[in-house]
Amino acid sequence: MHSSCRVQSELRRHKMLAINSKFNDKPSISAMFVSSLANGTLDNHNRLDTSTILKQLEQMILNPSKVYPIIQALTKSGLAREEVTAAVVYIYCNNDKMEDLIQYTVNKEIGNAKNETDLFKEDSVLVSIYINYTKLIGLQYLWRLLADTLYDVSEVQSRTFSSSHHKEEDDDKFMDVLHLKLAAQAVFNRMKTTPFPFLLKMFLLTIKTDIDEEYSHLSNSVLATFVLLRFICLAITNPKLYGLWKKNPNEKTLRCIVLLSKIIQNTAFGVEFNKEDELVEVNDYIRVNSGPMSKWVENICVEEMREEGEEREYVEVEVGDGVKENGVKWMWSVMRMNRQVMRRELNRKMDGEEWKEMKKDLEDMGVLTVGGTSSESLSSRVGDKSRSSEKSLTEDSTAS
């Protein structure tokens, strides 16, 4: 079957994979967040106390000024930032409050930057939130954009580049480079014709608006970094993680798609390969397409005029109540497990009155206390099993 036919025939299946299966309240989701609370141990506790505590924590998490230092503190404790922000993003999406989280986080990180090199580093809270958000609302777009081309790449099974100058191997290298250029052009053609997810546009528009106030000269490069390096190219090099392939690529195919990603990145930033680089023959493609790709990135944040009655491409964010509740439970368990680091980091990052209020709330919820509260029995049920929730979260995210 031709690859384009295959893509069309599986588009409906992928929609179900991207939107429904990952976020329904299933045992795998419950295990993903709260393997430490398996078999409903939390719900077997006093129901009034349990529901009250979890509701209080949910409201705290939904306050961006409070959840931001919590994310930083949990990261200091050794948890992967992606795990923590995944739970937070699910909770915000369920409550339809992502805009609040995005706006606060963008303002916070721009305000904290001492200079332009400090902006939106790879390990920043905003970048982690963005990547998790793209996995919620960007999978349909990525499927339409990349599935056809990546399927062709996997079928070709491009040969490994050789440094030899034998004629036959030089011919092979030429064909490899030609194939990569054709693949890059196919992706760019799809980029120009496939509607970009509206909610991601709004995310990027928030970044652009705030960046333009202090670092306007960086606006387009920042957008290119978020759109390409942390979304499209990330999906190209991790096709299984983004639901594009059912299994990880073999070594030769992985090398090919990594090179494809490099070509797209360099084109977006107008950076040509060095003479010693194996992709130096792609420079003519970069020179021709760098300007148009830069313009495409710039236009993402321009809301186009639409004819009356024309519908906007819009992906509904569907995060069920069960998933949200699992996220809150998981947050409680890891905050409790890492309470010493939480206490130290929050005390260091927050001012006196703010920390005093938050400390009391966390103690009332049994997060920071050592004993003697009505919620202490919650932690006794969590125990050391909380650590297994970290592994479960990572494994389930990868499997999806």
Side-chain angles (χ1 to χ4, degrees), residues 74-75 77-86 128 330 390 393-394:
L74 287 175
T75 303
S77 71
L79 285 173
R81 195 183 305 272
E82 289 72 19
E83 294 176 335
V84 181
T85 55
S128 185
W330 186 82
E390 302 170 35
L393 177 63
T394 303

Side-chain angles (χ1 to χ4, degrees), residues 84-207:
V84 181
T85 55
V88 171
V89 167
Y90 294 160
I91 294 166
Y92 270 82
C93 285
N94 176 268
N95 286 274
D96 196 24
K97 290 185 176 294
M98 271 301 295
E99 185 177 350
D100 296 342
L101 179 63
I102 293 167
Q103 186 66 68
Y104 177 85
T105 309
V106 171
N107 290 339
K108 185 75 172 177
E109 299 202 356
I110 292 179
N112 287 345
K114 296 178 181 179
N115 51 62
E116 59 187 49
T117 60
D118 289 337
L119 287 170
F120 311 134
K121 291 183 177 179
E122 187 176 357
D123 61 350
S124 73
V125 173
L126 181 69
V127 169
S128 185
I129 288 173
Y130 174 79
I131 290 174
N132 277 298
Y133 195 47
T134 63
K135 293 175 184 176
L136 276 173
I137 63 177
L139 297 189
Q140 287 188 54
Y141 172 78
L142 290 173
W143 178 266
R144 294 167 180 163
L145 183 71
L146 300 174
D148 204 344
T149 300
L150 292 184
Y151 176 78
D152 288 342
V153 169
S154 68
E155 288 294 295
V156 170
Q157 289 289 318
S158 293
R159 294 171 292 275
T160 305
F161 282 91
S162 172
S163 59
S164 171
H165 293 285
H166 291 301
K167 183 179 185 305
E168 295 81 1
E169 293 182 349
D170 282 348
D171 289 343
D172 288 345
K173 180 177 178 179
F174 172 78
M175 291 305 296
D176 281 335
V177 171
L178 178 62
H179 177 72
L180 287 171
K181 289 164 70 173
L182 291 173
Q185 188 62 55
V187 172
F188 186 35
N189 289 342
R190 288 287 180 89
M191 287 162 60
K192 292 184 287 187
T193 58
T194 306
F196 196 80
F198 176 72
L199 293 179
L200 278 187
K201 275 190 177 186
M202 295 301 99
F203 195 130
L204 295 168
L205 182 59
T206 301
I207 296 174

Side-chain angles (χ1 to χ4, degrees), residues 270-287:
V271 177
E272 297 186 14
F273 292 98
N274 296 326
K275 292 182 179 180
E276 298 78 16
D277 198 295
E278 56 197 356
L279 290 175
V280 65
E281 295 176 42
V282 180
N283 285 343
D284 60 336
Y285 171 85
I286 293 175
R287 286 190 288 269

Side-chain angles (χ1 to χ4, degrees), residues 311-345:
E311 294 184 0
R312 174 186 279 118
E313 182 81 6
Y314 191 88
V315 176
E316 191 72 29
V317 180
E318 300 180 12
V319 177
D321 290 341
V323 177
K324 180 259 294 184
E325 291 166 6
N326 285 337
V328 177
K329 292 175 182 179
W330 186 82
M331 287 291 289
W332 185 92
S333 68
V334 296
M335 288 167 67
R336 167 70 194 180
M337 181 182 68
N338 297 286
R339 59 187 179 276
Q340 292 182 345
V341 177
M342 286 280 296
R343 184 187 294 271
R344 183 187 71 235
E345 291 299 315

Side-chain angles (χ1 to χ4, degrees), residues 196 200-209 219 223 227 295-304:
F196 196 80
L200 278 187
K201 275 190 177 186
M202 295 301 99
F203 195 130
L204 295 168
L205 182 59
T206 301
I207 296 174
K208 176 176 170 56
T209 301
S219 180
L223 289 178
V227 174
K295 189 66 177 176
W296 175 83
V297 171
E298 182 181 348
N299 287 340
I300 284 179
C301 291
V302 177
E303 180 61 8
E304 68 275 19

Side-chain angles (χ1 to χ4, degrees), residues 41-55:
T41 53
L42 186 58
D43 291 333
N44 290 336
H45 183 60
N46 181 293
R47 288 187 177 275
L48 179 61
D49 286 348
T50 298
S51 61
T52 301
I53 289 168
L54 294 179
K55 191 63 179 177

